Amino acid sequence: MKKHIVLFCLSALLSLFAFGCGSDSEDSESDSLTGVSISGSGNARIGKSATLTATPKKTGSPEITYSWSLSSDSYASLSATTGESVELSVSDSASEGDSVTVTVTATWGTVSVTGEKTVTFSTAPTLSLTDTPVGYASITPQTKNGTTVTTKTELVNALENGGLIYVSGTIDMSEGCLPTTAGGTTDELDAFVKAQTTSLKNSDSSKYPNVYTTYTAFRNAYAALCSSSTDDKSSSSTSTTLSQTLWKLNSTYGNKIKLNVKSNTTIIGLGNAVIKGGTIQISGVSNVTIRNLTIQDAYDPFPHHEEKDGFNAQWDGICLDGASNIWIDHCTIEDTMKYSNVTTKSGSEKWQTYDGLCDMKGSSKNIVVSYCIFKNHDKTMLIGSGKSDISGGYITIHHNKFLNCGQRLPMTTYPNMHVYNNSFERDSEAYYDQKACIVGRYAAYTYVVENNYFGSGVKKCLTTSTDAAGSCYSSGNYFVESSVSIGLVTSTSAKPFTPSYEYDLDEASDVPSIVEENAGAGVCTVVQ
């Protein structure tokens, strides 16, 4: 009997031991490393650097270490040899077409796997005066008697003549009024408010009774008069005692920051040229090209309140109104400040000091927007400003990157919208909610949407707005997430229109790397 008891206990212990070992084995099987690849571009610019990242094929969360090496260090070097990502730097002595093989070894415990990627070196793309767009815009390049400007005064004077204009350095259209944080102020902005409200009071003290010595004092005073039902939507339709003052300040400030462009004008940035705190107005003109410019912070310190829509700004980075044959190319158009909040009768509301990045209205037509970056903005690209604004169209939007943009990418009322090979992306820096990408509005729009890339976190990729009844042809688009909304009235068998130009379609999955390498200001070498 004792022998049986001993054998039973021993058997039970062995079973428990085996069960425990089995559990450990199952846990280890839940973590595995079977391979590693290298993500990032297979092309690197000579004299610059590119980021490469190890992408392991794994299950679970094993603690992986990485080591990197190069097949040759004659023209390239790595910023580090450990870590998940490295910077591959290419020396100026490299030649077009040279290449290097990058190897990464991923190790987990006793398991090691390797991956390789060949990176080819290339010179930066060139931007020539004789370039013409792919798309609907018909452009006659301005190539003679170029003027280089470095100040606001020089730029304004050059625009009065049109022709070929080069922008060098950074031009602050606000002349120091642009704050560094949204809703903030500067000495220059305080002085502007004091001077303007003093002038208004001197002109009509019954209508403009108050002088404000600081911007903050005026902003808080106006916000305190507003509630969700306040509707100061225009200077002729107001509901607060400070609305007339608000609109006067808005108009005067707008005139200060506007750049009015004439027909037959080409504006090209040299190097890393920046126009900040201004708005480029292209109204009722034709044959205009804007290339290789960073356009930052079309900032409106004096937003008006609209019923159920909060505080609304007036100025866009670029605004087209009844314009035709316009080409916007290799530009970076962005905000550098987040929105702020103010206290109103109804509580806290967003003090929205930005309108659009690139808006089009009226009868604007024959437009190309190509190889641009639109960044950190909410209402990004409105095309057609209302239900009756349907006379424009024939617009091509291709090879642009929309990064951390909330909505209107674009939203249109216009017919004949060709949107292809664009990348819609979000990263950890995004602070605007992603609401919608390509949107049809009302009843006139027609879209051909081809081979676009919709990244992680991007929602409502193809959708509609109020009373929409237009049509959209969608083909070859890549959606990282399957739970996207596609609500446009679609014509899957035939395009609602056929683009009248030749164009090459890149694979949608390749578009992020293509625009990363080629889109935005500063990536091209300008050939003067």
Side-chain angles (χ1 to χ4, degrees):
M1 183 69 179
K2 289 183 180 180
K3 182 178 179 181
H4 289 298
I5 292 174
V6 170
L7 289 173
F8 175 80
C9 292
L10 180 59
S11 175
L13 287 171
L14 289 171
S15 297
L16 287 172
F17 180 77
F19 179 79
C21 291
S23 296
D24 288 344
S25 176
E26 289 172 6
D27 287 344
S28 65
E29 288 176 1
S30 67
D31 283 354
S32 67
L33 174 64
T34 59
V36 62
S37 60
I38 300 174
S39 59
S41 175
N43 180 73
R45 301 290 186 214
I46 295 171
K48 296 186 180 296
S49 61
T51 300
L52 300 173
T53 301
T55 306
K57 298 174 183 178
K58 64 176 184 175
T59 58
S61 303
E63 294 184 4
I64 302 171
T65 60
Y66 302 94
S67 61
W68 298 78
S69 62
L70 295 175
S71 59
S72 170
D73 58 3
S74 299
Y75 305 116
S77 61
L78 295 172
S79 61
T81 56
T82 60
E84 186 176 8
S85 296
V86 295
E87 290 287 326
L88 172 69
S89 298
V90 184
S91 72
D92 291 329
S93 61
S95 299
E96 180 83 22
D98 286 344
S99 64
V100 66
T101 299
V102 182
T103 301
V104 64
T105 300
T107 302
W108 172 55
T110 59
V111 178
S112 290
V113 291
T114 60
E116 290 185 349
K117 189 179 190 73
T118 298
V119 180
T120 303
F121 308 149
S122 65
T123 55
T126 58
L127 185 154
S128 172
L129 296 179
T130 57
D131 293 340
T132 54
V134 174
Y136 279 115
S138 177
I139 295 294
T140 301
Q142 306 300 295
T143 59
K144 296 181 179 179
N145 303 319
T147 300
T148 300
V149 301
T150 60
T151 67
K152 175 182 177 178
T153 299
E154 290 174 350
L155 178 56
V156 171
N157 290 341
L159 286 171
E160 290 180 357
N161 298 317
L164 175 59
I165 302 168
Y166 294 108
V167 178
S168 179
T170 297
I171 296 177
D172 179 9
M173 291 299 298
S174 78
E175 299 176 304
C177 289
L178 185 67
T180 56
T181 57
T185 190
T186 66
D187 291 343
E188 291 81 2
L189 185 56
D190 287 342
F192 175 86
V193 170
K194 181 178 179 180
Q196 294 303 315
T197 55
T198 298
S199 176
L200 290 171
K201 181 174 182 178
N202 290 339
S203 67
D204 188 345
S205 59
S206 62
K207 193 174 183 179
Y208 309 105
N210 301 316
V211 171
Y212 295 90
T213 58
T214 67
Y215 167 75
T216 302
F218 173 79
R219 182 200 63 187
N220 292 346
Y222 177 64
L225 296 173
C226 296
S227 67
S228 59
S229 61
T230 299
D231 203 1
D232 288 336
K233 60 183 177 182
S234 72
S235 57
S236 59
S237 178
T238 59
S239 59
T240 65
T241 56
L242 279 179
S243 58
Q244 291 296 331
T245 302
L246 181 283
W247 277 107
K248 286 287 187 181
L249 289 169
N250 182 282
S251 176
T252 304
Y253 189 83
N255 290 333
K256 178 185 182 70
I257 66 170
K258 284 180 183 177
L259 288 168
N260 296 306
V261 182
K262 289 189 172 183
S263 293
N264 305 314
T265 298
T266 295
I267 307 172
I268 298 177
L270 298 177
N272 295 307
V274 179
I275 294 176
K276 69 176 186 176
T279 175
I280 298 175
Q281 303 281 307
I282 306 174
S283 180
V285 300
S286 63
N287 195 39
V288 171
T289 298
I290 302 175
R291 306 184 75 188
N292 202 48
L293 272 176
T294 295
I295 301 166
Q296 293 178 337
D297 297 318
Y299 188 86
D300 181 2
F302 306 105
H304 63 282
H305 197 282
E306 293 186 16
E307 185 177 9
K308 298 179 182 179
D309 197 28
F311 295 95
N312 278 268
Q314 286 291 295
W315 314 121
D316 308 314
I318 300 176
C319 179
L320 279 62
D321 188 355
S324 62
N325 292 309
I326 311 298
W327 185 22
I328 302 167
D329 177 66
H330 280 98
C331 290
T332 298
I333 311 176
E334 63 180 350
D335 303 341
T336 67
M337 293 174 273
K338 187 179 177 180
Y339 58 83
S340 61
N341 289 76
V342 291
T343 301
T344 68
K345 288 181 178 180
S346 303
S348 179
E349 287 191 33
K350 184 188 298 183
W351 184 250
Q352 180 60 267
T353 47
Y354 293 115
D355 193 16
L357 287 184
C358 181
D359 285 2
M360 309 174 198
K361 58 185 180 179
S363 57
S364 294
K365 58 187 177 182
N366 299 325
I367 315 296
V368 173
V369 181
S370 57
Y371 290 98
C372 291
I373 296 175
F374 297 93
K375 187 177 178 182
N376 296 333
H377 195 82
D378 187 16
K379 300 174 181 179
T380 302
M381 184 183 289
L382 179 64
I383 301 178
S385 59
K387 193 170 186 177
S388 61
D389 195 353
I390 59 175
S391 57
Y394 298 94
I395 294 171
T396 308
I397 300 171
H398 73 90
H399 290 97
N400 301 286
K401 180 176 182 177
F402 295 88
L403 177 63
N404 299 336
C405 294
Q407 55 186 310
R408 302 180 180 180
L409 312 175
M411 179 164 75
T412 191
T413 63
Y414 286 177
N416 299 87
M417 298 286 303
H418 189 198
V419 182
Y420 74 92
N421 281 153
N422 301 282
S423 186
F424 302 86
E425 303 175 42
R426 293 175 69 77
D427 64 21
S428 60
E429 302 299 318
Y431 48 78
Y432 286 109
D433 291 338
Q434 209 289 311
K435 297 177 181 177
C437 289
I438 299 171
V439 183
R441 194 182 195 191
Y442 303 123
Y445 73 86
T446 52
Y447 270 117
V448 170
V449 180
E450 300 178 292
N451 291 42
N452 298 281
Y453 175 92
F454 298 91
S456 179
V458 175
K459 298 176 291 185
K460 294 188 177 179
C461 303
L462 300 170
T463 188
T464 55
S465 185
T466 310
D467 301 330
S471 62
C472 171
Y473 172 87
S474 171
S475 174
N477 299 294
Y478 182 88
F479 306 94
V480 170
E481 297 180 1
S482 59
S483 59
V484 298
S485 296
I486 303 179
L488 282 173
V489 178
T490 58
S491 172
T492 56
S493 59
K495 298 177 181 179
F497 64 92
T498 301
S500 60
Y501 46 87
E502 294 184 359
Y503 61 99
D504 295 321
L505 283 173
D506 295 307
E507 289 293 330
S509 58
D510 293 336
V511 169
S513 61
I514 291 170
V515 298
E516 181 68 26
E517 294 169 12
N518 297 288
V523 301
C524 293
T525 299
V526 177
V527 180
Q528 293 181 257

